[in-house]
Amino acid sequence: MAFESIPGVGEKTADALAELDDPETALQQGDVLTLMDAPGVSEGRAAAIARGAIRQRHDDPGGLLATDQARELYDSVLELLQERAVTTYAKKRLETLYPATRESRIEEVRATVDDALTREPTPELRTALADVAPLDSPSGLRVRERCLATTDAERYAAAREAIPELSAEVVDDGHDIEELARSYSTVIVLDEAFAGGDFSGDVRVLPDALESPAAVVPERLLAFFAENRQRLLAAARVHEASELEPPLELDALTDGLSRVDEDGTIVGDEELERLATAVDDLDAAVGTAESVANDHLRDAIKERDVTIEGQDFLSLVEQGARVDSLLARELDDAFDAALQKAHDHLVDSLDLTGHEAELADHIFGGEPTFPVSRRDDAVSRLNTELTTARDRRSAELKADLADELAALKTPAEELVRNALELDVELAIAAFARDFDCTMPEFVGDAAGADGNDDADDDDAPTPGFTIEGGRSPILDVDFAAVEPVDYSVEGVTLLSGVNSGGKTSLLDLVGLIVIAAQMGLPVPADHARLSRFSELHYYAKSQGTLDAGAFESTLQDFGDLVDGADGRLVLVDELESITEPGASAKLIAGILESLYRQQTAAVFVSHLAREIREAAAIDVAVDGIEAVGLVDGELEVNRSPVKEHLARSTPELIVEKLAADDDGEFYESLLEKF
């Protein structure tokens, strides 16, 4: 696949995608999680790439959102979905949903939505999802007690690249390897020429080590599980709280995670814990053993009366003897007892066994002295013995656990993927539930929506929509308080009505339903039938009369609009506000005439419906949002437009009310003007 052919993918991003194991499958499936593994590709960028790949796969030109107002409605729909997602991943994944113009893409999403609507977004699930996130790939791992050795410079370079976690050394001969064995617990030799060599220490000749780095550095796999512990456990809880079938035995996963700490240290092995504690506590234990020995000798000396006859004293002096000799003669038994107490304390406090206890016996000894002091060389030997035993034990346990966890890595990744994708489905389910949504029905096919330029316009159905019980979720009121609206349009229509009667809100609802439907989503209505549109042009109400330059630019926009393709939906809110009312009515009439000749659906909201209809050379349909009357100074409105009805204006309603309340002729004469 030519990655740069994907909309929005340049050379740098294409190079990053090429580093993935299977980028083509990820792009084909819109797999945001896998795309995020590409160097430098964030969640948001991955979603954009996935969206571009989806468009390419369906040969979808996009472009439904033809104006800023249409794009704002799409953003509103997306925001409503994202508010119902728990994970950051799901929020970004939802951005791959876009209003498509190709039936194949819409149907693809609708199949996913059908599954999503069977989900129940329970509080337990949302709580479990809070700790789920895409898995991290640990970096910067260093294993300092093990090294690689080779005589070959090229193999050395390959070793550094394949296994960066270990130090790599270039050696000349077996003597160099022996030297390394004094500094590292384990030396892994990559040259087969050294096989069968007699080395002291843990020296392993593994010529194929670079081909199976996981066996040489089990810490790599353990770091993956350790660093992602909380995310994996959270994903497991999601599966337990939902109907998802886990891709692995959850007990096996939790058991494996319980045996490795968050920093990758093996836990739960008594022998390793004993050795680790002995290494950590050795200096303190030796110091305490010294104190035990000296306390015993001090007490023995205090209790002993030593008598030296003159001849003996003279003999000692003549021989140049020191007081140590006197201690050796008089306190030999006490000294031996003190050393034994020191040894016993050291062995007991560190839980030393076998050869370790024998090495501890050499820490205190020699000629009787007071105070008793350690032999540093013996302490060093014991420390080396314990450290080597600890590291070997740890390496063995890590290798064993890594062997067990290796088979769980791929399904563990799937476990998290499933949980994150479930969050996407739950967001859609919550959207549908919160706004009483139903799946819309597409009827016919707006001309040109599938790029069929040869379509017979005479046979193409007139594009339009029918909405029953539609309620807008973007109004600034509680959704339960929103009045349902029924409205249907085919072709070109004017929408009249009183101020604050809900005309703009109705346009918003129509645009939102069209966008959500072509995203493949359920829509906030009891029932909705619509054409699949190629473009949505939504023009919001202008804030005041435009100057000459802005007016010219606006006319150019509509010039491009009427010269465009068929199969569009055009929503325009009070275009007359851009200039004088008389001129506006003529301009709008001309625009409607041009749109009428195309396969286009259009709704123009206007207070000049009568004037526009009179100026138009075609029979323009006029619908009206009718005000029932005034109640306590407030309009009472039927929000559903009445077909083929020119709604009365707010001034007319007020004059009518005054005429009814007053017997004078003034208000009656005003009313006749309408």
Side-chain angles (χ1 to χ4, degrees):
M1 176 185 292
F3 298 141
E4 291 182 61
S5 66
I6 298 171
V9 174
E11 181 180 355
K12 184 177 179 180
T13 302
D15 291 341
L17 294 175
E19 295 189 29
L20 297 173
D21 290 338
D22 190 2
E24 294 189 7
T25 298
L27 290 167
Q28 184 177 9
Q29 297 176 351
D31 186 348
V32 174
L33 195 58
T34 297
L35 295 176
M36 285 167 51
D37 289 337
V41 175
S42 65
E43 287 177 331
R45 181 68 181 136
I49 294 170
R51 190 164 56 245
I54 292 169
R55 283 181 51 196
Q56 183 188 57
R57 177 161 52 86
H58 290 277
D59 190 26
D60 189 345
L64 180 80
L65 307 175
T67 62
D68 291 341
Q69 192 73 7
R71 285 184 284 273
E72 288 179 13
L73 281 180
Y74 166 70
D75 290 341
S76 296
V77 175
L78 189 60
E79 183 178 355
L80 292 172
L81 286 167
Q82 291 175 321
E83 287 173 352
R84 284 152 181 79
V86 177
T87 63
T88 301
Y89 169 83
K91 296 177 191 296
K92 295 300 181 183
R93 178 72 169 83
L94 287 164
E95 291 179 9
T96 65
L97 300 178
Y98 69 94
T101 59
R102 290 291 186 260
E103 181 180 11
S104 58
R105 170 57 182 171
I106 296 172
E107 292 302 319
E108 181 178 68
V109 177
R110 285 169 68 100
T112 300
V113 170
D114 286 343
D115 292 335
L117 295 181
T118 66
R119 306 293 188 191
E120 180 63 29
T122 64
E124 293 79 11
L125 265 177
R126 294 181 63 83
T127 299
L129 280 165
D131 292 325
V132 181
L135 299 176
D136 281 337
S137 297
S139 60
L141 176 66
R142 294 292 295 173
V143 180
R144 304 190 183 281
E145 68 270 13
R146 209 173 310 136
C147 80
L148 303 168
T150 179
T151 60
D152 184 79
E154 291 185 4
R155 192 176 293 115
Y156 164 79
R160 293 192 61 181
E161 182 177 354
I163 310 180
E165 297 89 346
L166 302 186
S167 295
E169 306 287 346
V170 176
V171 297
D172 292 327
D173 49 33
H175 176 73
D176 290 345
I177 296 174
E178 286 281 0
E179 287 296 320
L180 288 175
R182 294 188 179 94
S183 302
Y184 294 94
S185 298
T186 302
V187 178
I188 299 168
V189 182
L190 303 178
D191 304 330
E192 192 171 5
F194 291 100
D198 185 16
F199 300 102
S200 60
D202 187 11
V203 177
R204 307 176 188 179
V205 180
L206 301 174
D208 59 348
L210 301 186
E211 299 173 9
S212 54
V216 178
V217 193
E219 291 87 352
R220 182 185 295 181
L221 182 65
L222 298 184
F224 168 83
F225 281 95
E227 188 163 328
N228 293 297
R229 168 198 300 275
Q230 297 305 323
R231 300 175 184 192
L232 290 167
L233 291 175
R237 291 194 297 272
V238 168
H239 282 71
E240 290 173 339
S242 69
E243 299 177 356
L244 290 180
E245 184 69 26
L248 47 66
E249 289 290 337
L250 296 181
D251 289 344
L253 176 64
T254 54
D255 176 67
L257 292 173
S258 70
R259 291 156 60 190
V260 59
D261 208 344
E262 291 184 357
D263 63 356
T265 302
I266 296 294
V267 296
D269 182 76
E270 294 182 359
E271 175 63 7
L272 179 59
E273 291 175 358
R274 180 190 73 82
L275 290 167
T277 300
V279 171
D280 292 341
D281 296 348
L282 178 59
D283 285 341
V286 170
T288 303
E290 282 181 331
S291 299
V292 168
N294 287 322
D295 289 345
H296 179 79
L297 276 178
R298 186 178 292 107
D299 292 341
I301 292 172
K302 287 179 179 179
E303 296 174 1
R304 184 71 60 87
D305 292 329
V306 180
T307 301
I308 304 177
E309 296 180 0
Q311 186 62 38
D312 291 337
F313 183 74
L314 179 61
S315 175
L316 289 170
V317 172
E318 289 175 346
Q319 296 172 14
R322 300 172 302 172
V323 177
D324 293 348
S325 301
L326 177 62
L327 289 172
R329 192 188 73 180
E330 296 293 331
L331 299 173
D332 189 59
D333 292 342
F335 184 75
D336 288 343
L339 296 185
Q340 187 61 48
K341 284 182 174 292
H343 177 268
D344 291 346
H345 173 81
L346 195 58
V347 170
D348 292 342
S349 63
L350 299 181
D351 195 16
L352 302 180
T353 63
H355 185 55
E356 302 162 0
E358 293 176 7
L359 290 176
D361 198 35
H362 298 291
I363 292 177
F364 303 104
E367 295 296 325
T369 60
F370 183 80
V372 173
S373 60
R374 72 186 74 184
R375 294 175 58 185
D376 289 335
D377 59 336
V379 174
S380 179
R381 284 195 298 272
L382 178 56
N383 181 66
T384 299
E385 176 73 17
L386 291 171
T387 300
T388 300
R390 178 201 63 189
D391 292 344
R392 287 178 180 172
R393 178 70 178 176
S394 176
E396 291 172 0
L397 293 171
K398 286 178 178 178
D400 291 343
L401 181 56
D403 284 343
E404 294 181 30
L405 292 177
L408 300 181
K409 186 174 187 293
T410 298
E413 292 170 336
E414 186 179 350
L415 185 83
V416 172
R417 183 190 304 275
N418 291 348
L420 291 171
E421 291 296 336
L422 177 64
D423 191 24
V424 176
E425 293 187 7
L426 291 173
I428 295 172
F431 173 85
R433 179 199 60 189
D434 293 347
F435 302 120
D436 296 334
C437 295
T438 56
M439 292 303 291
E441 176 186 353
F442 286 99
V443 293
D445 201 7
D450 267 332
N452 183 6
D453 296 330
D454 297 327
D456 187 348
D457 292 345
D458 294 334
D459 295 334
T462 303
F465 58 83
T466 297
I467 298 171
E468 298 176 7
R471 290 192 291 165
S472 175
I474 60 174
L475 293 176
D476 194 20
V477 295
D478 186 77
F479 183 73
V482 178
E483 296 180 32
V485 175
D486 299 336
Y487 192 39
S488 64
V489 166
E490 284 188 2
V492 175
T493 301
L494 282 168
L495 179 61
S496 62
V498 296
N499 289 330
S500 302
K503 300 185 297 297
T504 299
S505 298
L506 179 56
L507 289 189
D508 287 344
L509 175 64
V510 171
L512 186 146
I513 285 179
V514 168
I515 289 169
Q518 294 196 207
M519 290 171 73
L521 297 172
V523 299
D526 294 338
H527 181 63
R529 299 170 68 248
L530 65 152
S531 304
R532 180 161 49 85
F533 296 102
S534 60
E535 296 174 2
L536 169 61
H537 295 260
Y538 186 2
Y539 296 93
K541 185 187 304 182
S542 174
Q543 300 301 314
T545 302
L546 302 181
D547 60 32
F551 178 74
E552 180 181 356
S553 177
T554 300
L555 284 185
Q556 287 176 338
D557 287 343
F558 280 95
D560 295 338
L561 173 63
V562 298
D563 289 337
D566 293 342
R568 294 166 301 162
L569 172 63
V570 181
L571 305 175
V572 182
D573 195 3
E574 295 190 21
L575 182 60
E576 63 263 26
S577 62
I578 67 173
T579 188
E580 297 88 349
S584 293
K586 296 174 183 177
L587 291 171
I588 295 172
I591 294 170
L592 290 175
E593 289 171 5
S594 296
L595 294 177
Y596 179 81
R597 290 190 287 269
Q598 300 175 356
Q599 287 296 321
T600 297
V603 180
F604 277 59
V605 168
S606 179
H607 290 290
L608 303 176
R610 179 182 289 110
E611 292 84 349
I612 294 169
R613 187 165 55 179
E614 291 174 354
I618 60 172
D619 186 14
V620 181
V622 178
D623 301 334
I625 294 180
E626 183 68 12
V628 178
L630 288 168
V631 179
D632 297 328
E634 298 290 334
L635 284 173
E636 184 176 345
V637 179
N638 177 7
R639 304 291 179 181
S640 296
V642 178
K643 300 298 295 179
E644 298 298 334
H645 175 73
L646 180 62
R648 293 178 296 173
S649 66
T650 303
E652 181 180 358
L653 288 170
I654 294 174
V655 172
E656 182 181 64
K657 180 178 184 298
L658 292 172
D661 294 341
D662 193 300
D663 293 334
E665 296 181 359
F666 174 68
Y667 298 116
E668 287 290 346
S669 65
L670 290 180
L671 187 60
E672 290 175 0
K673 299 296 183 183
F674 289 94

